[in-house]
Amino acid sequence: MKRTTITSALPYANGGVHIGHLAGVYVPADIYARYLRLKKEEVVFIGGSDEHGVPVTIRAKKEGITTQEVVDRYHKIIKDSFEEFGISFDIYSRTTSDIHHKFASDFFRTLYDKGVLEEHTEEQYCDEVTGEFLTDRNIVGTCPRCGAEGAYGDQCEKCGAALSPDELINPTNKNNPGHGLVKKPTKNWYLPLGKYQDWLKEWIIEGHKEWRPNVYGQCKSWLDMDLQPRAMTRDLDWGIPVPVEGAEGKVLYVWFDAPIGYISNTKELCDSNPEKWGNWEKWWQDEDTRLVHFIGKDNIVFHCIIFPVMMKAHGGYIMPDNVPSNEFLNLENDKISTSKNWAVWLHEYLVDFPGKQDVLRYVLTANAPETKDNNFTWADFQERNNSELVAIYGNFVNRALQLTKKYWGGKVPECGELQGVDKQAIAEFTDIKAKVETLLDQYKFRDAQKEAMNLARIGNKYITECEPWKIAKAESVTTDSGATITGMQRVETILYISLQLCANLAIVFEPFLPFSSKKLREMLNMDSFEWGQLGQTDLIPAGHQLAEPSLLFEKIEDDAIKAQLDKLEAAKKQNEAENYKAKDIKPECTYEDFEKLDIRVGHIINCEKVKKANKLLKFTIDDGSGKERTIVSGIAKFYQPEELIGKDVLFIANFPPRKLMGIESQGMILSAENFDGSLSVTSILREVKPGSCVC
């Protein structure tokens, strides 16, 4: 192929970008784009915000602002975050642009004029109170495939299945759960997917067996069933108006207009600089162009079934060569949820960890969910930074550059006679290019980065075994051939090879860690570099002056990780509080049942922790009888003993004694259980004597 068009899924402009998005779509897409550019290939990398659809309207209603204000705000947040994080889009535009509106409208009209679209009047769900037609995203119910609750009318986020509202079990109105659903007739235009089923089977099932198993398998599952027509218009007031007479109050379905955004954004880029980019048609309609979509697994059907049918029906467009879809990334063993704020947001990360874009890029690639769902933990983030980036990659580079500065004022020394250890190190890293290149060409970014880190391991092992800081003190050294040279002559060769390894690291890590590679190139004074040089042993000539060395990576301390875990815990508690619902009332009981409990006021004389028991506190209670009463209670996680001494509490006096950790407990202190599982000891509003009964 002469060129490659790379697209990455358009994020909804109703919130920021989180690590799940990055690991699933944007980091691998950026790695691939940077790799192709390093190879001097012709490539365009297209991105943009999806600013139509129900999620943005829901956000607007929630915040009490206009939908345009929502998309303006989050488009800027997303775009700025991507730029700061180093996602190297050639253009990042939006689906509310004039160019996109016209392009998508014209695309639909072409299908309409060619007679591709089918007009159907069908009954669709609407709110029985307001009469408003409900979009697929406003209808939730039980997924018929996996049984998950809260599945949307167009997709189950748990299993990734594409759905229709009629398939949901017990569908309800997401925004007004108390309102019933009724069906009313409405006219819409449908894409007849079934008419293209044989073509899809031949193109995908027979023609793309090399696609990832999750992509190929999901496509095959769909194509094994009879494809049904899918509506390409919706009854909404936010979106691109349907360009057909009699379609007032209807807009293009977001999954029709969003992928067209890839094409319209390309047109916007080409129109802005035709000398550099040429016309948009060569990127989308030239048979010599390869098209690659980077998406998450929840978008497979739309990119492999619906969008290709749209382009096929329109005519003139190339089909995707590959769709390297990733699985989902979990966070601290729980599913990432934007609605529950259980996420690591990119714009917040960039504030909390300034200058550490590459650390997150490295960890997300190392944990890339390429073949199955994977998990991100802050402990792993810290461990990979400290034990790999700092202790291996950074340590090797720092030693090589600092020793060169110390012994030769930062000038690259001459390379002398190679010894066995030198030849072995060179042999190990000269084939790194072929290994990494093969893996990147197969979209195996996790393994490719691992091979890049192996180059750093080779360098770290080499300089550790050679110990140039010790050899420099030796008056003479005997070589493998039996010749005698000075210690410094031997050090020259060691550091020459080490610096060549550093230069190779700057190249091989460029797609993965662009900020660190740029910093390393600046320290090495490497002005020009390209992928074809990878594996060479003469990238930096002897006598070349290096710049001032500095640390490539910094250790991340425990307090920084604790702050992130505390933030997640706070988000979890806030979500639990907002969604708190009291437990169901227990079955009725009589007053006589209540009278059997002897509930009294007790004054806490003393309180202490029970040894070898994390949950238990031992109370000494004045129960008004003239005798002290001992009660053991499992509330040590929620109170310090000194907080409770001197307080009046309620306790049950007529429970039979029982032993806990060898202590006889004579009753039970009453506590209320909060939404988060914490316990709050019950007390009284006015002072009463110990032993007073509750009645």
Side-chain angles (χ1 to χ4, degrees), residues 456-678:
R457 296 181 194 279
I458 291 169
N460 207 41
K461 177 174 175 285
Y462 171 72
I463 202 169
T464 298
E465 289 181 351
C466 290
E467 297 182 313
W469 48 89
K470 286 187 178 180
I471 294 177
K473 300 175 183 178
E475 291 186 6
S476 62
V477 175
T478 302
T479 67
D480 293 348
S481 63
T484 301
I485 59 174
T486 66
M488 289 304 294
Q489 285 177 311
R490 175 62 189 140
V491 171
E492 282 186 312
T493 301
I494 296 170
L495 291 183
Y496 177 87
I497 293 172
S498 296
L499 293 172
Q500 303 307 323
L501 272 164
C502 288
N504 275 272
L505 284 168
I507 297 173
V508 77
F509 269 112
E510 165 64 24
F512 308 96
L513 311 178
F515 296 93
S516 306
S517 285
K518 182 176 184 292
K519 185 176 181 180
L520 179 52
R521 291 196 311 273
E522 289 172 348
M523 289 191 287
L524 295 173
N525 267 337
M526 287 178 65
D527 294 328
S528 63
F529 65 100
E530 57 186 59
W531 189 258
Q533 296 174 291
L534 186 59
Q536 295 181 11
T537 58
D538 56 353
L539 294 176
I540 310 178
H544 176 76
Q545 180 65 53
L546 306 180
E548 186 69 21
S550 60
L551 291 177
L552 204 54
F553 302 99
E554 297 175 342
K555 188 177 180 182
I556 294 176
E557 303 295 343
D558 292 345
D559 56 351
I561 300 303
K562 183 179 183 303
Q564 297 303 315
L565 293 173
D566 289 346
K567 183 187 292 187
L568 286 175
E569 186 62 28
K572 180 182 288 187
K573 288 185 176 180
Q574 180 180 354
N575 184 67
E576 290 173 345
E578 290 175 352
N579 293 280
Y580 168 72
K581 183 181 178 182
K583 293 181 179 178
D584 294 338
I585 302 296
K586 294 179 180 179
E588 289 184 354
C589 67
T590 64
Y591 182 72
E592 287 74 18
D593 292 329
F594 170 75
E595 277 192 313
K596 294 178 183 179
L597 291 176
D598 189 350
I599 303 175
R600 300 189 177 221
V601 175
H603 182 75
I604 300 176
I605 300 171
N606 190 37
C607 181
E608 59 187 81
K609 290 185 177 181
V610 176
K611 293 180 179 179
K612 298 182 180 180
N614 296 329
K615 297 181 179 180
L616 301 180
L617 292 180
K618 175 185 174 184
F619 292 86
T620 303
I621 303 287
D622 176 1
D623 63 2
S625 67
K627 297 181 180 179
E628 294 179 350
R629 178 184 292 255
T630 299
I631 297 179
V632 177
S633 180
I635 60 173
K637 287 175 60 179
F638 313 107
Y639 287 98
Q640 293 298 320
E642 54 270 19
E643 291 181 72
L644 298 168
I645 297 174
K647 304 291 185 183
D648 294 326
V649 296
L650 299 180
F651 72 97
I652 299 176
N654 62 338
F655 274 178
R658 58 179 296 201
K659 283 198 172 184
L660 296 170
M661 296 296 290
I663 303 170
E664 185 175 82
S665 181
Q666 303 161 328
M668 185 177 78
I669 292 175
L670 297 181
S671 297
E673 184 178 7
N674 203 356
F675 69 90
D676 59 358
S678 62

Side-chain angles (χ1 to χ4, degrees), residues 52-182:
H52 298 134
V54 176
V56 294
T57 62
I58 292 175
R59 171 68 71 173
K61 289 179 181 178
K62 183 178 180 180
E63 297 188 11
I65 58 178
T66 68
T67 307
Q68 189 64 53
E69 287 174 320
V70 166
V71 298
D72 286 345
R73 176 202 300 170
Y74 287 109
H75 171 71
K76 185 178 188 318
I77 288 174
I78 295 169
K79 184 178 182 182
D80 291 348
S81 296
F82 278 146
E83 287 178 358
E84 190 175 346
F85 194 62
I87 304 299
S88 57
F89 294 115
D90 291 306
I91 184 173
Y92 188 85
S93 192
R94 54 198 306 187
T95 58
T96 56
S97 71
D98 292 339
I99 289 178
H100 175 71
H101 270 236
K102 185 177 186 314
F103 202 102
S105 183
D106 290 347
F107 196 107
F108 182 91
R109 186 71 202 199
T110 297
L111 297 186
Y112 179 84
D113 291 339
K114 291 179 69 173
V116 172
L117 300 173
E118 298 176 349
E119 183 179 313
H120 296 294
T121 297
E122 294 188 353
E123 290 192 333
Q124 292 189 0
Y125 284 112
C126 65
D127 189 300
E128 68 174 356
V129 177
T130 65
E132 175 187 12
F133 280 103
L134 298 175
T135 62
D136 298 347
R137 280 266 152 175
N138 274 330
I139 301 172
V140 295
T142 302
C143 176
R145 311 285 173 83
C146 70
E149 298 293 333
Y152 291 109
D154 63 350
Q155 193 170 61
C156 173
E157 291 195 336
K158 182 171 183 180
C159 70
L163 303 170
S164 69
D166 286 325
E167 294 179 271
L168 291 178
I169 301 169
N170 299 322
T172 60
N173 187 336
K174 180 179 185 293
N175 297 320
N176 295 302
H179 294 190
L181 299 184
V182 295

